[in-house]
Amino acid sequence: MSEQPPQPDPSGYGYPNQPPGAQQPGHPPPGPGYPPPGYQGYPPPGYLPPGMYTGDPNAPYGYDPYGRPYSDKSKVIAGILQLTLGTFGVGRFYLGDVGLGLAQLFTCGGFGIWALIDGILLLTGNDHTDAQGRVLRS
C-alpha cells in the first residue's frame, strides 16, 4: 500500500506535531509582503489607540489622531448643558470658560439666541477645547 500525503487539519490550525512557524503545505513562504512567522496581529509594544489613558497628567484621556490631548470634558454634555441652561452660561462654566459664562449669565445667553447657537456649535463641531486648550471628547 502506498502512503497518502497528510491531509490539512479541518479546524484550520495547521498540522499537528509541527513547531510554530513551520512551513505548511499550500501556504506562501515568509518574505516581503508577508508577516513574520508567529505574527498574531497584535499592535507593536507601547502602542495605545486614540483615547486610551496614558498616565500623562496633561492628557488624562490620551491623544487624538493629530497628537492633541483629549480633555476630561465631553462635547455632548457641554452642548446639552448649553442648549438647556445656556441662558445662565452653564455650558461655558462646565468647560472652564468663566468669562464667556459670566457674559452669558448677565445677558441671559444673548436673549437665548447666543446660547442656542453656541449649544449647536458645541454639539456639531470637532475642534472645541476646554479652558486648558485640550480637545473635547465626543
Short mmCIF file of all heavy atoms in Angstrom, two decimals, residues 51-99:
data_model
loop_
_atom_site.label_atom_id
_atom_site.label_comp_id
_atom_site.label_asym_id
_atom_site.label_seq_id
_atom_site.Cartn_x
_atom_site.Cartn_y
_atom_site.Cartn_z
N GLY A 51 -7.52 57.97 22.49
CA GLY A 51 -8.50 57.99 23.56
C GLY A 51 -8.17 57.10 24.74
O GLY A 51 -8.89 57.07 25.71
N MET A 52 -7.07 56.37 24.69
CA MET A 52 -6.68 55.47 25.76
C MET A 52 -5.92 56.25 26.83
O MET A 52 -5.14 57.12 26.52
CB MET A 52 -5.79 54.37 25.19
CG MET A 52 -5.56 53.26 26.15
SD MET A 52 -7.02 52.26 26.07
CE MET A 52 -6.40 50.67 26.22
N TYR A 53 -6.15 55.94 28.11
CA TYR A 53 -5.47 56.64 29.20
C TYR A 53 -3.99 56.33 29.16
O TYR A 53 -3.59 55.19 29.11
CB TYR A 53 -6.06 56.26 30.54
CG TYR A 53 -5.39 56.99 31.68
CD1 TYR A 53 -5.59 58.35 31.85
CD2 TYR A 53 -4.53 56.33 32.54
CE1 TYR A 53 -4.98 59.04 32.87
CE2 TYR A 53 -3.92 57.02 33.56
CZ TYR A 53 -4.15 58.37 33.73
OH TYR A 53 -3.53 59.05 34.73
N THR A 54 -3.17 57.36 29.18
CA THR A 54 -1.73 57.19 29.05
C THR A 54 -0.98 57.42 30.35
O THR A 54 0.22 57.19 30.41
CB THR A 54 -1.17 58.17 28.00
OG1 THR A 54 -1.42 59.50 28.44
CG2 THR A 54 -1.79 57.93 26.66
N GLY A 55 -1.64 57.93 31.39
CA GLY A 55 -0.95 58.26 32.62
C GLY A 55 -0.33 59.64 32.56
O GLY A 55 0.31 60.08 33.51
N ASP A 56 -0.50 60.35 31.48
CA ASP A 56 0.04 61.70 31.32
C ASP A 56 -0.95 62.69 31.93
O ASP A 56 -2.09 62.77 31.50
CB ASP A 56 0.23 61.99 29.83
CG ASP A 56 0.86 63.33 29.54
OD1 ASP A 56 1.17 64.06 30.50
OD2 ASP A 56 1.07 63.64 28.36
N PRO A 57 -0.54 63.47 32.95
CA PRO A 57 -1.50 64.40 33.57
C PRO A 57 -1.94 65.52 32.62
O PRO A 57 -2.99 66.11 32.84
CB PRO A 57 -0.74 64.96 34.77
CG PRO A 57 0.69 64.72 34.47
CD PRO A 57 0.75 63.51 33.59
N ASN A 58 -1.18 65.78 31.58
CA ASN A 58 -1.58 66.80 30.61
C ASN A 58 -2.60 66.27 29.61
O ASN A 58 -3.21 67.04 28.89
CB ASN A 58 -0.37 67.34 29.86
CG ASN A 58 0.58 68.06 30.78
OD1 ASN A 58 0.15 68.73 31.71
ND2 ASN A 58 1.87 67.89 30.55
N ALA A 59 -2.74 64.96 29.52
CA ALA A 59 -3.71 64.34 28.61
C ALA A 59 -4.36 63.17 29.33
O ALA A 59 -4.02 62.02 29.12
CB ALA A 59 -3.01 63.86 27.34
N PRO A 60 -5.34 63.43 30.22
CA PRO A 60 -5.91 62.35 31.03
C PRO A 60 -6.62 61.28 30.21
O PRO A 60 -6.77 60.17 30.68
CB PRO A 60 -6.88 63.07 31.96
CG PRO A 60 -7.13 64.39 31.34
CD PRO A 60 -5.93 64.72 30.52
N TYR A 61 -7.04 61.60 28.99
CA TYR A 61 -7.73 60.61 28.16
C TYR A 61 -6.98 60.33 26.87
O TYR A 61 -7.57 59.89 25.89
CB TYR A 61 -9.16 61.07 27.87
CG TYR A 61 -10.03 60.97 29.10
CD1 TYR A 61 -10.15 62.04 29.98
CD2 TYR A 61 -10.67 59.79 29.41
CE1 TYR A 61 -10.91 61.94 31.12
CE2 TYR A 61 -11.43 59.69 30.55
CZ TYR A 61 -11.55 60.76 31.40
OH TYR A 61 -12.31 60.65 32.54
N GLY A 62 -5.69 60.55 26.84
CA GLY A 62 -4.89 60.22 25.68
C GLY A 62 -4.84 61.35 24.67
O GLY A 62 -5.12 62.51 24.97
N TYR A 63 -4.47 60.98 23.45
CA TYR A 63 -4.27 61.95 22.38
C TYR A 63 -5.14 61.60 21.18
O TYR A 63 -5.39 60.43 20.92
CB TYR A 63 -2.81 61.97 21.96
CG TYR A 63 -1.88 62.43 23.06
CD1 TYR A 63 -1.28 61.51 23.91
CD2 TYR A 63 -1.63 63.77 23.24
CE1 TYR A 63 -0.45 61.94 24.93
CE2 TYR A 63 -0.79 64.20 24.26
CZ TYR A 63 -0.20 63.28 25.10
OH TYR A 63 0.61 63.71 26.10
N ASP A 64 -5.58 62.61 20.45
CA ASP A 64 -6.36 62.37 19.24
C ASP A 64 -5.39 62.00 18.11
O ASP A 64 -4.17 62.02 18.30
CB ASP A 64 -7.24 63.58 18.90
CG ASP A 64 -6.47 64.78 18.39
OD1 ASP A 64 -5.22 64.77 18.44
OD2 ASP A 64 -7.12 65.73 17.94
N PRO A 65 -5.89 61.63 16.92
CA PRO A 65 -5.00 61.22 15.83
C PRO A 65 -4.02 62.30 15.39
O PRO A 65 -3.02 62.01 14.76
CB PRO A 65 -5.97 60.87 14.69
CG PRO A 65 -7.23 60.50 15.38
CD PRO A 65 -7.30 61.36 16.60
N TYR A 66 -4.28 63.56 15.73
CA TYR A 66 -3.38 64.64 15.35
C TYR A 66 -2.37 64.95 16.45
O TYR A 66 -1.60 65.90 16.33
CB TYR A 66 -4.18 65.91 15.02
CG TYR A 66 -5.11 65.71 13.86
CD1 TYR A 66 -6.48 65.65 14.07
CD2 TYR A 66 -4.64 65.57 12.57
CE1 TYR A 66 -7.36 65.46 13.01
CE2 TYR A 66 -5.50 65.37 11.51
CZ TYR A 66 -6.85 65.32 11.73
OH TYR A 66 -7.70 65.12 10.69
N GLY A 67 -2.37 64.20 17.54
CA GLY A 67 -1.43 64.39 18.62
C GLY A 67 -1.86 65.40 19.65
O GLY A 67 -1.10 65.73 20.55
N ARG A 68 -3.09 65.90 19.55
CA ARG A 68 -3.59 66.86 20.53
C ARG A 68 -4.20 66.10 21.71
O ARG A 68 -4.85 65.08 21.51
CB ARG A 68 -4.65 67.76 19.89
CG ARG A 68 -4.14 68.53 18.68
CD ARG A 68 -5.23 69.30 18.02
NE ARG A 68 -6.27 68.37 17.54
CZ ARG A 68 -7.34 68.74 16.86
NH1 ARG A 68 -7.55 70.01 16.59
NH2 ARG A 68 -8.23 67.86 16.46
N PRO A 69 -3.98 66.57 22.94
CA PRO A 69 -4.52 65.83 24.09
C PRO A 69 -6.04 65.97 24.19
O PRO A 69 -6.60 67.02 23.89
CB PRO A 69 -3.84 66.49 25.29
CG PRO A 69 -3.45 67.84 24.82
CD PRO A 69 -3.19 67.72 23.34
N TYR A 70 -6.69 64.87 24.60
CA TYR A 70 -8.13 64.90 24.85
C TYR A 70 -8.40 65.48 26.23
O TYR A 70 -7.62 65.31 27.17
CB TYR A 70 -8.73 63.49 24.80
CG TYR A 70 -9.02 62.98 23.43
CD1 TYR A 70 -8.47 61.79 22.99
CD2 TYR A 70 -9.87 63.65 22.58
CE1 TYR A 70 -8.74 61.29 21.74
CE2 TYR A 70 -10.15 63.16 21.32
CZ TYR A 70 -9.58 61.99 20.90
OH TYR A 70 -9.85 61.50 19.66
N SER A 71 -9.52 66.16 26.37
CA SER A 71 -9.94 66.73 27.63
C SER A 71 -10.71 65.70 28.45
O SER A 71 -11.14 64.67 27.93
CB SER A 71 -10.85 67.93 27.36
OG SER A 71 -11.40 68.42 28.55
N ASP A 72 -10.89 66.00 29.72
CA ASP A 72 -11.75 65.15 30.54
C ASP A 72 -13.20 65.59 30.41
O ASP A 72 -14.09 64.97 30.98
CB ASP A 72 -11.30 65.15 32.00
CG ASP A 72 -11.22 66.55 32.57
OD1 ASP A 72 -11.21 67.52 31.79
OD2 ASP A 72 -11.16 66.69 33.80
N LYS A 73 -13.47 66.63 29.63
CA LYS A 73 -14.82 67.15 29.40
C LYS A 73 -15.38 66.57 28.10
O LYS A 73 -14.65 66.27 27.17
CB LYS A 73 -14.82 68.67 29.30
CG LYS A 73 -14.09 69.37 30.41
CD LYS A 73 -14.87 69.35 31.68
CE LYS A 73 -14.17 70.28 32.64
NZ LYS A 73 -14.34 70.17 33.94
N SER A 74 -16.70 66.45 28.04
CA SER A 74 -17.38 65.89 26.87
C SER A 74 -18.09 67.00 26.10
O SER A 74 -18.76 67.85 26.70
CB SER A 74 -18.39 64.84 27.32
OG SER A 74 -19.23 64.47 26.26
N LYS A 75 -17.98 66.94 24.77
CA LYS A 75 -18.66 67.96 23.96
C LYS A 75 -20.18 67.74 23.97
O LYS A 75 -20.94 68.69 23.86
CB LYS A 75 -18.12 67.99 22.54
CG LYS A 75 -18.58 66.89 21.63
CD LYS A 75 -18.07 67.11 20.23
CE LYS A 75 -18.72 66.15 19.28
NZ LYS A 75 -18.39 66.43 17.90
N VAL A 76 -20.63 66.51 24.14
CA VAL A 76 -22.06 66.24 24.18
C VAL A 76 -22.67 66.84 25.45
O VAL A 76 -23.72 67.50 25.39
CB VAL A 76 -22.32 64.71 24.11
CG1 VAL A 76 -23.79 64.41 24.31
CG2 VAL A 76 -21.83 64.16 22.78
N ILE A 77 -22.02 66.63 26.58
CA ILE A 77 -22.53 67.19 27.83
C ILE A 77 -22.51 68.71 27.77
O ILE A 77 -23.46 69.38 28.17
CB ILE A 77 -21.73 66.66 29.03
CG1 ILE A 77 -22.01 65.17 29.19
CG2 ILE A 77 -22.09 67.41 30.30
CD1 ILE A 77 -21.20 64.49 30.25
N ALA A 78 -21.41 69.28 27.26
CA ALA A 78 -21.32 70.74 27.15
C ALA A 78 -22.41 71.29 26.24
O ALA A 78 -23.04 72.32 26.55
CB ALA A 78 -19.94 71.14 26.62
N GLY A 79 -22.67 70.63 25.12
CA GLY A 79 -23.70 71.09 24.20
C GLY A 79 -25.09 71.01 24.79
O GLY A 79 -25.91 71.92 24.64
N ILE A 80 -25.39 69.91 25.49
CA ILE A 80 -26.72 69.76 26.10
C ILE A 80 -26.91 70.77 27.23
O ILE A 80 -27.98 71.37 27.36
CB ILE A 80 -26.92 68.31 26.58
CG1 ILE A 80 -27.04 67.39 25.37
CG2 ILE A 80 -28.15 68.19 27.46
CD1 ILE A 80 -27.07 65.92 25.69
N LEU A 81 -25.86 70.97 28.03
CA LEU A 81 -25.95 71.99 29.08
C LEU A 81 -26.17 73.37 28.48
O LEU A 81 -26.94 74.17 29.00
CB LEU A 81 -24.68 71.99 29.94
CG LEU A 81 -24.53 70.88 30.96
CD1 LEU A 81 -23.15 70.92 31.58
CD2 LEU A 81 -25.60 70.96 32.02
N GLN A 82 -25.50 73.64 27.38
CA GLN A 82 -25.63 74.95 26.74
C GLN A 82 -27.03 75.13 26.14
O GLN A 82 -27.59 76.22 26.18
CB GLN A 82 -24.55 75.13 25.68
CG GLN A 82 -24.39 76.52 25.16
CD GLN A 82 -23.99 77.51 26.24
OE1 GLN A 82 -23.36 77.17 27.23
NE2 GLN A 82 -24.36 78.75 26.04
N LEU A 83 -27.59 74.07 25.56
CA LEU A 83 -28.93 74.17 24.99
C LEU A 83 -30.00 74.32 26.06
O LEU A 83 -30.99 75.03 25.87
CB LEU A 83 -29.24 72.95 24.11
CG LEU A 83 -28.53 72.89 22.77
CD1 LEU A 83 -28.83 71.57 22.07
CD2 LEU A 83 -28.93 74.05 21.88
N THR A 84 -29.84 73.61 27.18
CA THR A 84 -30.89 73.64 28.21
C THR A 84 -30.72 74.77 29.21
O THR A 84 -31.70 75.39 29.61
CB THR A 84 -30.94 72.30 28.96
OG1 THR A 84 -29.66 72.04 29.53
CG2 THR A 84 -31.32 71.17 28.02
N LEU A 85 -29.48 75.04 29.64
CA LEU A 85 -29.23 76.06 30.66
C LEU A 85 -28.28 77.15 30.16
O LEU A 85 -27.58 77.78 30.95
CB LEU A 85 -28.63 75.40 31.91
CG LEU A 85 -29.51 74.34 32.59
CD1 LEU A 85 -28.73 73.59 33.64
CD2 LEU A 85 -30.74 75.00 33.18
N GLY A 86 -28.27 77.34 28.86
CA GLY A 86 -27.36 78.31 28.25
C GLY A 86 -27.63 79.75 28.63
O GLY A 86 -26.73 80.58 28.58
N THR A 87 -28.86 80.07 29.01
CA THR A 87 -29.15 81.45 29.43
C THR A 87 -28.41 81.80 30.72
O THR A 87 -28.22 82.97 31.02
CB THR A 87 -30.66 81.65 29.63
OG1 THR A 87 -31.14 80.69 30.55
CG2 THR A 87 -31.40 81.52 28.31
N PHE A 88 -27.97 80.79 31.46
CA PHE A 88 -27.18 81.01 32.67
C PHE A 88 -25.69 80.75 32.42
O PHE A 88 -24.89 80.84 33.34
CB PHE A 88 -27.66 80.10 33.80
CG PHE A 88 -29.11 80.27 34.11
CD1 PHE A 88 -30.01 79.25 33.85
CD2 PHE A 88 -29.59 81.45 34.64
CE1 PHE A 88 -31.35 79.39 34.14
CE2 PHE A 88 -30.94 81.62 34.93
CZ PHE A 88 -31.82 80.59 34.67
N GLY A 89 -25.32 80.38 31.18
CA GLY A 89 -23.92 80.14 30.84
C GLY A 89 -23.36 78.85 31.39
O GLY A 89 -22.14 78.69 31.48
N VAL A 90 -24.20 77.89 31.76
CA VAL A 90 -23.75 76.67 32.43
C VAL A 90 -22.82 75.84 31.54
O VAL A 90 -21.83 75.29 32.02
CB VAL A 90 -24.97 75.83 32.89
CG1 VAL A 90 -24.53 74.50 33.46
CG2 VAL A 90 -25.77 76.60 33.90
N GLY A 91 -23.09 75.77 30.25
CA GLY A 91 -22.22 75.01 29.35
C GLY A 91 -20.81 75.57 29.30
O GLY A 91 -19.83 74.83 29.27
N ARG A 92 -20.69 76.88 29.33
CA ARG A 92 -19.37 77.53 29.32
C ARG A 92 -18.68 77.40 30.67
O ARG A 92 -17.46 77.25 30.73
CB ARG A 92 -19.49 78.99 28.90
CG ARG A 92 -19.77 79.14 27.43
CD ARG A 92 -18.64 78.52 26.64
NE ARG A 92 -18.91 78.58 25.22
CZ ARG A 92 -17.99 78.32 24.30
NH1 ARG A 92 -16.77 77.99 24.65
NH2 ARG A 92 -18.31 78.39 23.04
N PHE A 93 -19.44 77.47 31.76
CA PHE A 93 -18.84 77.24 33.07
C PHE A 93 -18.31 75.81 33.17
O PHE A 93 -17.26 75.57 33.74
CB PHE A 93 -19.84 77.50 34.20
CG PHE A 93 -20.08 78.96 34.47
CD1 PHE A 93 -21.36 79.49 34.40
CD2 PHE A 93 -19.04 79.80 34.81
CE1 PHE A 93 -21.59 80.82 34.66
CE2 PHE A 93 -19.26 81.14 35.08
CZ PHE A 93 -20.54 81.66 34.99
N TYR A 94 -19.05 74.85 32.59
CA TYR A 94 -18.61 73.46 32.59
C TYR A 94 -17.27 73.30 31.87
O TYR A 94 -16.41 72.54 32.31
CB TYR A 94 -19.69 72.58 31.92
CG TYR A 94 -19.26 71.17 31.61
CD1 TYR A 94 -19.12 70.23 32.62
CD2 TYR A 94 -19.01 70.76 30.31
CE1 TYR A 94 -18.74 68.93 32.34
CE2 TYR A 94 -18.62 69.48 30.02
CZ TYR A 94 -18.49 68.56 31.04
OH TYR A 94 -18.10 67.28 30.76
N LEU A 95 -17.08 74.02 30.78
CA LEU A 95 -15.83 73.93 30.03
C LEU A 95 -14.70 74.73 30.67
O LEU A 95 -13.55 74.61 30.25
CB LEU A 95 -16.04 74.42 28.59
CG LEU A 95 -16.95 73.57 27.73
CD1 LEU A 95 -17.13 74.19 26.36
CD2 LEU A 95 -16.39 72.16 27.61
N GLY A 96 -15.01 75.54 31.66
CA GLY A 96 -13.98 76.32 32.31
C GLY A 96 -13.83 77.72 31.74
O GLY A 96 -12.94 78.46 32.14
N ASP A 97 -14.69 78.11 30.80
CA ASP A 97 -14.65 79.44 30.21
C ASP A 97 -15.49 80.38 31.07
O ASP A 97 -16.65 80.68 30.76
CB ASP A 97 -15.20 79.42 28.77
CG ASP A 97 -14.34 78.60 27.83
OD1 ASP A 97 -13.12 78.55 28.07
OD2 ASP A 97 -14.88 78.02 26.88
N VAL A 98 -14.91 80.85 32.16
CA VAL A 98 -15.65 81.65 33.13
C VAL A 98 -16.08 82.99 32.54
O VAL A 98 -17.20 83.45 32.77
CB VAL A 98 -14.80 81.86 34.41
CG1 VAL A 98 -15.53 82.74 35.41
CG2 VAL A 98 -14.47 80.52 35.04
N GLY A 99 -15.21 83.60 31.73
CA GLY A 99 -15.56 84.89 31.13
C GLY A 99 -16.78 84.81 30.23
O GLY A 99 -17.71 85.63 30.33
#
